[in-house]
Amino acid sequence: MTDQQKQGWKGPLEGVRVLDFTRVLSGPYATMILADMGAEIIKIESVEKGDDTRNFPPFVNDMSHYFIALNRNKKSISLNLKTPEGVKIAKDLAAQCDIVIENFRPGVMDKLGLGYDALKEGNDKLVYCAISGFGATGPMRDNPSFDIVAQALSGIMSVNREPDQTPTKLGIPLGDMAGGIFGVFGILGTLHEATRTGKGRKLDISMLDSLLGMLGYLSQIYFVTGETPKPFGTRHPNLVPYGAFETSDGHIIVACLTENFWFNLARAIEREDLIDDPRYGEYLARIENRATLEQIVADAMKKRSTQEWEARLDEFDVPFAPILSVQEALEHPNTQAREMVRTVEHPEIGTLKVVSSPIKFEGENIAPMTAPPTLGENTNDILTDLLGISPQEIALLRKNGVLAKGK
């Protein structure tokens, strides 16, 4: 074992410092990904109530489940950005950071005196990422946006349903999360450029743009055919059979992406004759005869239980999955084997279970995960260590409302 492994390697972004002005979901999700890869995250929170999600129920010992889910491996400083002293502290911190990330509406940070033009004066290599609902340009730049708004405008909700059913949002907040994911992509690319050239730049990330960028083949269906994609529920517009099928006691997903997988399924349902049937032997033929083929498969699937089909489809090498609940997914053997559920120790709450980072680094022993911080938990250390502010000055800042009292 290397010395690095013994100490607990923090990740490839060890030594990178991020000043985090974000709150709620899209920005905190991005900074959590950076934190999981070893970056030091300094989360600036308001002195009144901190990140809005600190107040979202349910709670465990007064800490919100929502905040816990998005803020591991971070440090918190409570700072009043409505005061000149608070703005100066934020500027001084930015001068010592590699990355600044915020998710206010466009123009808010400029009004505070903390926009990119103001911060880059003291830091040429600064990578500045702004995440917003609709981006810094365009007719909707000033509109408020939340996840469901971005989902509705992206076209995703229109196909996220069974035919003739009411459109519904995705079960996860992908609009917010997509903004965070593409924010991280842009940050890492720009950080590499800044290391090479000595010059940073500003990133303009839109939640709506991010979802449009994830439409993938759905957008290309429209460009190629001129027809907007229709809702297929769990089915696929161009692959058959594909989707959820009823078993004798539930449902199971089958996904025949290639010809060989279709052949394997035909054998699994004891209908090998379908392989040579001209109506079902090739992709286009199966699409043209979708209704009859899906009925054949549906009738066969009802003859066995979900558990029986799991064993049989595994035996015949057919891509499949039972439809698990969130609890079942978190307790699944593969989830456990991949260490996707980990525990962290919180000084006030005790042991917490959290979902771990999906990014794995083979052969490395990542340093222990740290619990989400209490509001302003690291204020004194950050101001003292990075800015050299004395305890007496910190006490005065608290008295004057620049910092939260008692934090």
Side-chain angles (χ1 to χ4, degrees):
M1 183 178 289
T2 65
D3 290 340
Q4 188 180 62
Q5 288 173 315
K6 291 177 183 177
Q7 295 170 3
W9 180 57
K10 291 183 179 179
L13 294 182
E14 185 173 3
V16 172
R17 184 177 292 136
V18 180
L19 192 59
D20 177 6
F21 291 93
T22 70
R23 70 270 186 267
V24 190
L25 207 163
S26 61
Y29 187 67
T31 55
M32 185 173 70
I33 296 172
L34 296 172
D36 286 341
M37 291 191 287
E40 177 187 5
I41 309 297
I42 299 174
K43 183 179 178 72
I44 292 185
E45 301 189 68
S46 70
V47 294
E48 297 89 1
K49 60 181 180 179
D51 189 316
D52 295 298
T53 63
R54 287 188 181 273
N55 303 298
F56 291 2
F59 301 96
V60 52
N61 287 25
D62 296 326
M63 182 167 276
S64 166
H65 76 289
Y66 206 120
F67 186 83
I68 292 171
L70 295 161
N71 290 283
R72 63 177 177 257
N73 294 329
K74 300 180 185 180
K75 300 174 181 178
S76 171
I77 173 173
S78 56
L79 188 62
N80 189 346
L81 296 178
K82 297 177 182 177
T83 64
E85 297 91 340
V87 171
K88 182 180 185 306
I89 288 172
K91 281 186 174 180
D92 290 344
L93 287 173
Q96 298 195 45
C97 290
D98 304 283
I99 300 162
V100 166
I101 181 167
E102 51 98 349
N103 63 337
F104 294 103
R105 292 195 213 185
V108 169
M109 289 289 279
D110 290 319
K111 290 178 182 177
L112 290 171
L114 295 168
Y116 175 61
D117 290 337
L119 297 185
K120 72 176 181 179
E121 290 180 6
N123 189 351
D124 279 348
K125 291 179 67 175
L126 183 67
V127 175
Y128 185 107
C129 179
I131 302 173
S132 61
F134 307 108
T137 58
M140 298 186 70
R141 70 182 298 274
D142 296 320
N143 289 27
S145 178
F146 291 100
D147 171 71
I148 194 171
V149 175
Q151 286 195 33
L153 289 170
S154 70
I156 286 176
M157 278 181 65
S158 73
V159 296
N160 190 48
R161 58 189 168 112
E162 294 291 337
D164 302 320
Q165 297 296 310
T166 302
T168 183
K169 71 178 183 67
L170 300 173
I172 60 171
L174 190 60
D176 278 306
M177 296 169 78
I181 291 167
F182 281 99
V184 170
F185 289 166
I187 285 169
L188 295 180
T190 308
L191 186 65
H192 173 72
E193 180 190 42
T195 301
R196 182 168 49 84
T197 66
K199 296 288 184 181
R201 66 174 71 239
K202 181 179 180 180
L203 294 161
D204 171 20
I205 305 295
S206 155
M207 289 163 52
L208 179 56
D209 290 354
S210 298
L211 283 183
L212 290 170
M214 297 180 83
L215 285 175
Y217 63 79
L218 291 178
S219 60
Q220 216 58 42
I221 287 174
Y222 167 67
F223 292 140
V224 169
T225 69
E227 298 180 1
T228 192
K230 298 178 176 61
F232 277 86
T234 62
R235 296 183 300 163
H236 193 288
N238 299 313
L239 297 172
V240 185
Y242 191 106
F245 290 91
E246 186 178 351
T247 65
S248 65
D249 62 353
H251 291 82
I252 196 164
I253 293 291
V254 171
C256 294
L257 188 68
T258 67
E259 298 285 37
N260 283 338
F261 286 135
W262 155 237
F263 299 158
N264 291 347
L265 177 61
R267 296 181 183 106
I269 64 173
E270 300 177 301
R271 288 298 306 272
E272 195 165 352
D273 60 294
L274 299 175
I275 295 173
D276 297 321
D277 190 317
R279 295 171 298 172
Y280 311 124
E282 297 181 353
Y283 287 108
L284 291 178
R286 290 198 296 279
I287 294 172
E288 291 172 2
N289 295 282
R290 175 192 293 272
T292 56
L293 179 54
E294 287 183 335
Q295 190 60 57
I296 290 171
V297 176
D299 290 342
M301 299 301 283
K302 291 177 184 177
K303 295 177 181 178
R304 289 183 169 92
S305 69
T306 301
Q307 187 173 20
E308 289 172 323
W309 276 119
E310 287 184 64
R312 188 165 179 83
L313 295 174
D314 186 45
E315 177 187 350
F316 281 85
D317 193 32
V318 177
F320 74 93
I323 301 174
L324 302 182
S325 68
V326 172
Q327 176 182 345
E328 290 169 331
L330 292 174
E331 295 177 355
H332 192 277
N334 198 75
T335 303
Q336 300 299 316
R338 295 287 295 169
E339 297 184 324
M340 282 303 298
V341 175
R342 295 176 64 184
T343 57
V344 293
E345 294 299 322
H346 191 278
E348 296 180 5
I349 300 172
T351 301
L352 288 172
K353 281 187 177 182
V354 296
V355 171
S356 181
S357 170
I359 303 171
K360 310 295 184 187
F361 300 97
E362 188 174 352
E364 295 292 352
N365 181 25
I366 299 296
M369 188 180 295
T370 60
T374 56
L375 177 59
E377 178 181 334
N378 312 100
T379 299
N380 287 10
D381 290 341
I382 290 169
L383 295 184
T384 300
D385 295 345
L386 294 186
L387 302 185
I389 299 178
S390 70
Q392 294 77 16
E393 291 174 295
I394 291 174
L396 184 60
L397 290 169
R398 294 193 190 284
K399 181 180 179 180
N400 294 335
V402 179
L403 306 174
K405 299 220 172 13
K407 293 289 185 181

